[in-house]
Amino acid sequence: MFKIIKLTMYDMQDQSYTYEFSEGTNYFQGKNSSGKTEFYSFIDFMFGSSEDIIKKPWYINSLVKATMLFDYNGDSFYITRTRNRNQNYLYYADENENDIEPIDLREYKDKLNSIFAQDIPFLKDIRNFTNEELTYRAFTMFNFLGEEGQGRIHDFLDKCRFIKYSVKLNPILNFIFNKNIERIYELKKELDNLIQEVKELESNTQKYNFIINQVNKNLQKVGGKVWYTGENADTIKKYISDISNMQNVEMSNRERNIADLEVMYNNLSEQIKVYENNINDARQFESDNENRKKLLSKLHELILEDASLDYLVTPIQELLSEIDNTIFFSNYVINDNTVKELKKQRDRIKTELRRNDSRFTCYTLEEKTKAIALVEEYLSVEIDFADDNLKEKKKKIRELREELNALQNSDDTKKIKELSKAITNLYMSVKDISSVVSDDMECEGFEIRYIKKGNILQPMIASDDVENKDSDKHVNYYIGSMARHTLIQLCGYFAFLDILLESDQYPIIPMFVIDHISKPFDEKNSKAIGKIIAMAYDMIGKENLQMFIFDDEDPDKLGISPDHFENLVSENKTGFNPFYIQ
């Protein structure tokens, strides 16, 4: 159970004013400029928003701090925010306020998160699934419906107008509507293990390559034609032993000098460059031909419908055949292995050039002795060359990531249909009150479908296509009324809150805050708001959701029977902030 009990505000002279709240619906009425939207935002501020209130006229030289008392799951907490974002307080109600040290905003939000995110294993599942730390702040997108965001049925959550929330939405939706959580967790665990193994293999590979380079670097100092490949250690050891024993050793006989090698290297590079340009041209030609083929195919279909144009059919068929042959030839060119062979030859020339680096350098006997000692030392290090194993594991990682991506984006269609049904039922419940809803109900097969991609609440009706008559065939129903859209949006919020609160696992604050909901409604349809709220409470339970509504209309005009009512303007104050004089 969750309930905000009271909010106490303090001014510069330490005077205080307290707002009392009730379980269920708390309705605050106020005229224009009485601070309804400020009160709406201030609730979010108390629960950790980063808004800098000291820059707002409502709080300059008036408000010093505010303290809120709330109950959650049997515990009572005090939370306090001040004009200084790094001076906040959070403590149990039975603790002594004077013993509490101030905390910065980051720690303040961390402590709030520990209150609303109590199911630690479930949070780990969310983190493993989304690869993100999704705290209670991300889930506040389901808690607030402001005036500026009303009437949105595409990306319908008001806070998703802001990028810091919109980027969190898709991972949350994927988690809510995914039926492969356990399999995804297993794959992620396997993927983490593979990544760690790859890191170790890559580390060994780096050591392996370092040793090969060092051995060859020192072999060049003693001459000879041997070259360490990593697999011929015995040959290198024998060669070094022969030199150490002063035996005759066959020295390198370079048949090609450096100038010849450089000419060959440059020629190969030019050939590769020309060949790669030809491949790019061929790919572009293939793309152009594909477009031509599509256009000619469409033209061919049009001509076939008119018998008088038969004389045009044969030329077009010939053109299509020629294009097919051209595309086939392009594919053959692109798949040719010549460029790969040229690159291999260039790499071999490059290696031979490196071997000639020390040809004109004279080394002393001491340097050669040291080189022999280093070669022997490096060859004594046991490191396995695991290039094939590394490639196999990297391939497995790619496959796992592809499978994970597919599983993470696979939706539980049954759960989405149940959500759509709940939204539709809430909307249809006001058909006897709202003319806009009753008009929609007259449309055959009317329903509201939730579309996860885009977070859309899409009205639909049965198709009137006689040729493709299907009882399950629906088409989008576009309705322009702001009141319709706002009612649908309101139903969407309640349906999502029902899913999130019913599980009792998500890190969400059990409240819903609405600002100026009456704006798009005329007198005939405004009572539909109260009816939907009543139906939502029947579905969710009044004890499970506390609501705050800020509006300029009387609650009875909206069909709302609030559990607590208060006017923001009274004899003692001109608006929400009792210390601000307008």
Side-chain angles (χ1 to χ4, degrees):
M1 177 182 173
F2 170 83
K3 178 186 176 183
I4 301 176
I5 299 171
K6 62 181 180 179
L7 171 68
T8 303
M9 307 173 75
Y10 299 87
D11 72 352
M12 299 286 188
Q13 288 74 42
D14 205 31
Q15 296 183 84
S16 65
Y17 184 90
T18 299
Y19 286 98
E20 303 280 351
F21 307 117
S22 297
E23 178 185 281
T25 304
N26 295 269
Y27 195 98
F28 292 87
Q29 185 179 359
K31 62 182 182 180
N32 288 339
S33 301
S34 61
K36 298 185 297 295
T37 299
E38 286 303 326
F39 204 160
Y40 165 89
S41 299
F42 199 79
I43 293 176
D44 197 20
F45 173 76
M46 291 304 298
F47 283 103
S49 82
S50 302
E51 184 178 24
D52 189 358
I53 65 169
I54 65 173
K55 295 180 179 180
K56 296 181 126 182
W58 273 93
Y59 308 106
I60 294 176
N61 298 324
S62 61
L63 186 70
V64 173
K65 67 177 182 178
T67 297
M68 181 180 283
L69 173 64
F70 68 88
D71 289 340
Y72 186 61
N73 287 344
D75 293 316
S76 297
F77 303 91
Y78 277 107
I79 55 176
T80 299
R81 294 204 66 180
T82 70
R83 295 169 64 85
N84 183 348
R85 63 184 285 119
N86 291 317
Q87 189 174 343
N88 310 282
Y89 301 85
L90 192 158
Y91 52 94
Y92 286 99
D94 57 3
E95 291 184 276
N96 189 337
E97 180 182 359
N98 296 324
D99 297 333
I100 306 302
E101 294 292 328
I103 54 179
D104 62 21
L105 183 57
R106 180 194 58 77
E107 188 175 355
Y108 181 78
K109 289 192 283 189
D110 286 345
K111 288 191 173 185
L112 278 171
N113 191 60
S114 67
I115 294 172
F116 295 110
Q118 296 186 348
D119 193 333
I120 303 303
F122 187 76
L123 289 178
K124 287 182 178 178
D125 287 342
I126 295 179
R127 183 169 59 251
N128 290 332
F129 180 89
T130 62
N131 289 322
E132 292 190 39
E133 290 287 345
L134 294 173
T135 69
Y136 80 102
R137 285 302 305 169
F139 282 83
T140 60
M141 68 177 76
F142 299 98
N143 295 128
F144 290 87
L145 174 55
E147 182 178 350
E148 290 187 24
Q150 286 174 17
R152 293 160 56 100
I153 59 174
H154 286 239
D155 198 14
F156 76 93
L157 295 172
D158 180 20
K159 277 196 172 187
C160 287
R161 292 182 292 120
F162 307 105
I163 188 68
K164 65 180 180 180
Y165 289 100
S166 63
V167 296
K168 304 285 187 182
L169 178 61
N170 197 53
I172 289 175
L173 294 180
N174 281 344
F175 184 82
I176 292 174
F177 296 110
N178 200 282
K179 57 183 178 181
N180 304 296
I181 302 298
E182 292 183 4
R183 176 60 180 158
I184 287 171
Y185 179 76
E186 292 173 359
L187 289 177
K188 278 186 170 291
K189 190 174 181 180
E190 183 181 353
L191 180 61
D192 290 340
N193 292 335
L194 273 174
I195 290 173
Q196 186 59 39
E197 291 174 8
V198 165
K199 286 181 179 178
E200 293 175 1
L201 287 173
E202 286 178 337
S203 177
N204 287 336
T205 300
Q206 289 175 356
K207 293 178 182 177
Y208 183 88
N209 291 333
F210 173 78
I211 287 175
I212 288 179
N213 290 333
Q214 291 301 312
V215 169
N216 288 326
K217 179 180 177 181
N218 285 283
L219 282 174
Q220 292 178 44
K221 295 180 181 181
V222 297
K225 66 176 183 180
V226 291
W227 190 257
Y228 184 45
T229 64
E231 299 177 354
N232 59 341
D234 292 339
T235 302
I236 302 300
K237 288 177 181 178
K238 184 179 183 305
Y239 173 76
I240 292 298
S241 176
D242 290 344
I243 291 178
S244 300
N245 295 328
M246 304 296 289
Q247 295 182 12
N248 291 329
V249 181
E250 183 182 357
M251 306 304 289
S252 62
N253 180 21
R254 296 179 176 86
E255 298 177 354
R256 296 179 291 194
N257 58 36
I258 293 177
D260 292 337
L261 291 171
E262 287 181 344
V263 169
M264 293 172 66
Y265 183 85
N266 291 332
N267 287 339
L268 285 170
S269 296
E270 286 298 320
Q271 290 182 54
I272 291 169
K273 184 177 179 180
V274 170
Y275 204 94
E276 286 177 339
N277 288 337
N278 289 339
I279 289 177
N280 291 332
D281 291 342
R283 284 175 178 163
Q284 182 60 48
F285 189 64
E286 179 188 28
S287 176
D288 293 343
N289 275 349
E290 282 289 353
N291 292 331
R292 293 187 188 100
K293 185 178 179 182
K294 289 177 183 177
L295 289 172
L296 288 171
S297 296
K298 291 291 183 183
L299 181 60
H300 186 218
E301 292 173 5
L302 293 173
I303 292 174
L304 287 175
E305 295 175 2
D306 189 347
S308 64
L309 299 175
D310 283 345
Y311 68 95
L312 293 174
V313 173
T314 301
I316 289 178
Q317 287 176 333
E318 291 176 355
L319 279 172
L320 288 173
S321 177
E322 290 177 9
I323 288 175
D324 281 335
N325 291 334
T326 305
I327 294 173
F328 175 78
F329 175 75
S330 298
N331 286 332
Y332 170 79
V333 172
I334 291 171
N335 291 326
D336 194 272
N337 291 321
T338 304
V339 69
K340 294 180 181 179
E341 292 300 322
L342 288 173
K343 286 182 177 180
K344 287 181 181 179
Q345 290 181 34
R346 185 176 64 178
D347 289 340
R348 287 194 290 270
I349 297 297
K350 188 176 181 180
T351 299
E352 194 167 346
L353 277 168
R354 286 203 306 269
R355 294 179 182 181
N356 279 273
D357 286 344
S358 61
R359 181 177 179 183
F360 301 105
T361 304
C362 294
Y363 297 99
T364 65
L365 182 60
E366 182 181 353
E367 288 174 324
K368 291 184 178 182
T369 303
K370 184 178 179 181
I372 291 172
L374 286 172
V375 170
E376 291 175 338
E377 183 179 348
Y378 283 124
L379 291 177
S380 67
V381 178
E382 294 184 3
I383 296 180
D384 293 330
F385 181 62
D387 189 52
D388 292 338
N389 192 16
L390 183 61
K391 289 180 180 178
E392 186 63 31
K393 288 186 182 296
K394 285 185 175 181
K395 179 182 178 183
K396 182 64 176 176
I397 286 175
R398 289 194 299 272
E399 292 172 351
L400 282 177
R401 283 176 171 160
E402 289 173 0
E403 185 178 355
L404 273 171
N405 186 59
L407 288 175
Q408 287 175 331
N409 289 284
S410 61
D411 298 328
D412 187 340
T413 55
K414 181 180 178 182
K415 195 171 185 179
I416 290 178
K417 286 180 180 179
E418 289 173 353
L419 176 68
S420 299
K421 185 177 180 181
I423 295 170
T424 302
N425 289 341
L426 279 172
Y427 185 72
M428 292 175 63
S429 68
V430 297
K431 61 183 179 181
D432 296 330
I433 299 175
S434 170
S435 60
V436 296
V437 177
S438 62
D439 289 344
D440 292 338
M441 293 301 99
E442 292 179 3
C443 298
E444 183 181 354
F446 177 86
E447 63 180 50
I448 300 168
R449 287 187 184 176
Y450 176 70
I451 302 172
K452 186 170 76 71
K453 186 176 182 180
N455 197 33
I456 299 169
L457 305 172
Q458 180 61 59
M460 307 193 82
I461 58 175
S463 173
D464 58 358
D465 188 345
V466 179
E467 294 182 0
N468 298 297
K469 199 66 176 176
D470 187 339
S471 59
D472 191 43
K473 182 72 174 177
H474 282 70
V475 294
N476 291 347
Y477 177 44
Y478 296 100
I479 47 179
S481 168
M482 180 72 166
R484 279 185 174 97
H485 286 185
T486 304
L487 281 179
I488 291 171
Q489 185 183 29
L490 189 62
C491 295
Y493 267 93
F494 280 126
F496 261 99
L497 284 167
D498 182 44
I499 288 177
L500 297 173
L501 295 174
E502 185 180 25
S503 75
D504 196 28
Q505 292 177 303
Y506 292 96
I508 185 170
I509 306 172
M511 69 175 182
F512 187 29
V513 190
I514 309 175
D515 183 31
H516 211 174
I517 190 69
S518 68
K519 184 177 180 180
F521 295 89
D522 56 28
E523 188 174 348
K524 294 181 180 179
N525 293 285
S526 58
K527 289 186 181 294
I529 298 169
K531 177 67 173 178
I532 286 178
I533 290 174
M535 292 297 294
Y537 270 138
D538 288 341
M539 180 172 64
I540 299 171
K542 183 173 286 190
E543 71 282 2
N544 297 321
L545 181 67
Q546 190 177 25
M547 286 188 61
F548 299 86
I549 301 175
F550 304 94
D551 212 292
D552 54 3
E553 292 286 356
D554 292 329
D556 60 321
K557 287 188 176 181
L558 306 183
I560 298 175
S561 299
D563 298 280
H564 172 79
F565 173 82
E566 190 169 340
N567 200 312
L568 292 178
V569 179
S570 66
E571 295 179 358
N572 301 322
K573 60 189 182 72
T574 60
F576 154 58
N577 183 356
F579 314 116
Y580 174 69
I581 308 299
Q582 299 190 61

